[in-house]
């Protein structure tokens, strides 16, 4: 499965990774680099509304526990677990970015290997300039 990224999300993530200090470049950053290198880059206005992007809110179902969780994937400085905002650099953020509603994937998270299904994706309305 290949992720889909908007051109602006690709630029944002690429810049974020390039500007990270070496001591903060862990396994998740390497995985994210791999994900964006293999991603299909789509013009912002052509991305499907059911694909997880930066600032998307999504519901994911852990297929083993049947636990449904809701998160928003954000930039690292906006992350706040109390508000269910996860960083794009977190294991779940890396796992979900660029994938679409209905997809099921396996990914290693801090709690072990999980099989997750994306149940719902909500994206903020993008205002395009005329």
């Amino acid at each position: 499965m290949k992720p889909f990224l908007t051109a602006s999300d690709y630029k944002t993530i690429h810049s974020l990774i390039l500007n990270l200090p070496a001591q903060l470049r862990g396994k998740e950053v390497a995985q994210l680099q791999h994900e964006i290198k293999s991603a299909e880059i789509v013009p912002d206005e052509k991305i499907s509304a059911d694909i997880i992007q930066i600032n998307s809110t999504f519901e994911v179902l852990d297929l083993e526990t049947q636990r449904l969780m809701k998160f928003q994937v954000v930039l690292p400085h906006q992350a706040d677990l109390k508000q269910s905002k996860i960083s794009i650099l977190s294991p779940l953020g890396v796992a979900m970015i660029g994938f679409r509603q209905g997809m099921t994937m396996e990914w290693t998270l801090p709690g072990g290997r999980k099989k997750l299904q994306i149940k719902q994706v909500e994206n903020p309305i993008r205002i395009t300039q005329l």
Side-chain angles (χ1 to χ4, degrees), residues 58 60 69 71 86-87 90-97 107 109-110 116:
F58 64 94
V60 64
M69 301 163 281
F71 297 102
I86 59 167
S87 169
S90 70
L92 188 59
V94 172
M96 295 290 119
I97 194 76
W107 200 264
L109 299 171
L116 306 168

Side-chain angles (χ1 to χ4, degrees), residues 42-76:
V42 179
D44 289 25
E45 65 277 2
K46 301 224 181 210
I47 195 84
S48 177
D50 65 349
I51 293 177
I52 297 174
Q53 306 164 47
I54 295 174
N55 294 318
S56 293
T57 301
F58 64 94
E59 288 184 355
V60 64
L61 179 66
D62 180 326
L63 293 175
E64 182 182 324
T65 65
Q66 294 299 302
R67 181 174 173 213
L68 185 65
M69 301 163 281
K70 187 173 185 174
F71 297 102
Q72 182 180 21
V73 65
V74 297
L75 295 174

Side-chain angles (χ1 to χ4, degrees), residues 32-43:
L32 185 57
Q33 279 181 305
H34 174 75
E35 290 293 313
I36 69 168
K37 282 180 185 174
S38 68
E40 183 172 328
I41 310 304
V42 179

Side-chain angles (χ1 to χ4, degrees), residues 2 10 40 48 71-73 101 106-107 110 115 118 125:
K2 170 160 106 163
Y10 175 83
E40 183 172 328
S48 177
F71 297 102
Q72 182 180 21
V73 65
Q101 183 173 306
E106 285 192 52
W107 200 264
K115 191 169 186 178
I118 302 169
I125 296 171

